[in-house]
Amino acid sequence: MPFITYLSGLLTAQMLSDDQLISGVEIRCEEKGRCPSTCHLCRRPGKEQLSPTPVLLEINRVVPLYTLIQDNGTKEAFKSALMSSYWCSGKGDVIDDWCRCDLSAFDANGLPNCSPLPQPVLRLSPTVEPSSTVVSLEWVDVQPAIGTKVSDYILQHKKVDEYTDTDLYTGEFLSFADDLLSGLGTSCVAAGRSHGEVPEVSIYSVIFKCLEPDGLYKFTLYAVDTRGRHSELSTVTLRTACPLVDDNKAEEIADKIYNLYNGYTSGKEQQTAYNTLMEVSASMLFRVQHHYNSHYEKFGDFVWRSEDELGPRKAHLILRRLERVSSHCSSLLRSAYIQSRVDTVPYLFCRSEEVRPAGMVWYSILKDTKITCEEKMVSMARNTYGESKGRYYLTLKVSFF
C-alpha cells in the first residue's frame, strides 16, 4: 500500500487528527518531500503542491510498535506475537520471564525447544597472560532475560599430543556449579565471576594452575539449561609457554660437564656426568648443550664429546630427551640470554553460599545462585628471551578487524 493511501485511510477512520496524534509519530513534510493538498495536517504555505515522493513517517522517540495501536485487543495480540517471535522463536508464549512452548515445539528427545539455548563463547582472559603452567579462560553468561534458564556450564580440558587418540581420550569434565563453585574440584582449578562493562552482563572465569609446560591443550565449554538441553560446543586450543629454565645454573652445568670431559675421564667422572645430565629437565639439557657449544665447541661439540666420553648407549639415552622439546621452545632456548621473572596476578576466587541438592541440577538456575568472591594472588614465573645482555624482547601478535 502506498504511504499516501495508508495516511488517507487513517484520516478516514479518524485515527489521525490535529487534536489526537498517535504517540510517538510526527509528520515532517518540510524535511523530506512536499505535502499533498489532501493532507490538512501538514498544510504549509507554499507546500500544497503534489509531490512524486511519499510523505515520510518520522519516529521522534523509541517506543514499542504495539503501543502505536489504539485498540486494546489488537495491541495485546500484537505484543504477544512480538514477544513470542523475539524470545520463543514464534513457537510459544512468553509467561513472566519464561517461554511456554507450543505442543509442536519439542525436539527428538521430547524436550521443549521453542527457546533457543545460545552458545557460550570461551576465550582467553585478557587480564591474565598464560604462563608455562597457568591459563585463565572466561566467557559471558548466555542466559537471556526471557526464555532459556542456564543451570550450569560444563568445562572439558585435555592435553593433546601425537601419542594420544583425541577421539578416545575425552579428558576431564568439570561442572562449573557442582565442582568449581562448590569447592569439590581440585586445588589446580579455581572458579571466578566478575561483571562486564554492562552491569547486567556476568562474566564467568576459570583459572587452571597445574598445566604442563610446552603442552598443547584443548578446552571446550557448553551450557546446560534447566530442562537438560546442551548448547553447541565452544573450543579454545592453545600451547602453554616453554618450561622455566635457570640460565645461570645451565651455564654452571655446562662448565661442570666440560671439566668432567676434559683430559682423561675416569669411570667415576663418566658416571657423574651421566647422572648430572639425566637429572636435569629436557629444556635445561637443551640449554646446557647451547652453553657447552657456545664456550667449548672448539674441543668438540656436545653430542660428539658425550658419545666419545660416555659411549653410544648412554649418550643416546641422554640426547633422545632433547626430542621432547618442541621446535618453538628449542628456537627460544637458543637465545643469547634468558632472564627469569615472577609476575603476581590478582584473580577472583568464588564459592557458592548454598548447597545444590543432588539430582536437582537441571532445576537450579545458575544466575540465581548466591556466590561470594574474594581476591587472591597467583604467582606466575616466566622466562624472557633476548639476543643481547640487558635487552629482552617480547613478541605480540595483534589482530586487526
Side-chain angles (χ1 to χ4, degrees), residues 128-231:
V128 181
E129 179 188 351
S131 71
S132 57
T133 58
V134 179
V135 168
S136 180
L137 302 170
E138 66 180 27
W139 66 93
V140 177
D141 184 28
V142 296
Q143 179 171 307
I146 295 175
T148 299
K149 302 300 176 187
V150 175
S151 172
D152 200 1
Y153 292 97
I154 306 299
L155 279 153
Q156 178 196 11
H157 67 283
K158 61 182 177 180
K159 188 172 184 293
V160 181
D161 55 47
E162 59 183 349
Y163 307 107
T164 303
D165 189 333
T166 56
D167 294 329
L168 295 177
Y169 174 62
T170 58
E172 182 180 1
F173 285 86
L174 291 171
S175 162
F176 186 76
D178 289 344
D179 296 328
L180 301 180
L181 290 181
S182 67
L184 297 179
T186 66
S187 60
C188 290
V189 187
R193 180 179 182 181
S194 58
H195 292 281
E197 296 178 358
V198 182
E200 293 78 15
V201 177
S202 294
I203 299 177
Y204 296 105
S205 63
V206 173
I207 186 167
F208 293 86
K209 298 183 287 184
C210 305
L211 302 180
E212 295 182 18
D214 194 19
L216 184 63
Y217 284 87
K218 182 178 181 180
F219 302 88
T220 59
L221 174 76
Y222 63 86
V224 181
D225 72 0
T226 54
R227 296 184 174 101
R229 292 185 305 166
H230 292 187
S231 72

Side-chain angles (χ1 to χ4, degrees), residues 101-127:
C101 297
D102 298 337
L103 293 178
S104 59
F106 286 80
D107 60 20
N109 298 320
L111 297 175
N113 64 354
C114 67
S115 178
L117 180 55
Q119 177 190 26
V121 178
L122 189 63
R123 66 192 183 197
L124 276 175
S125 174
T127 59

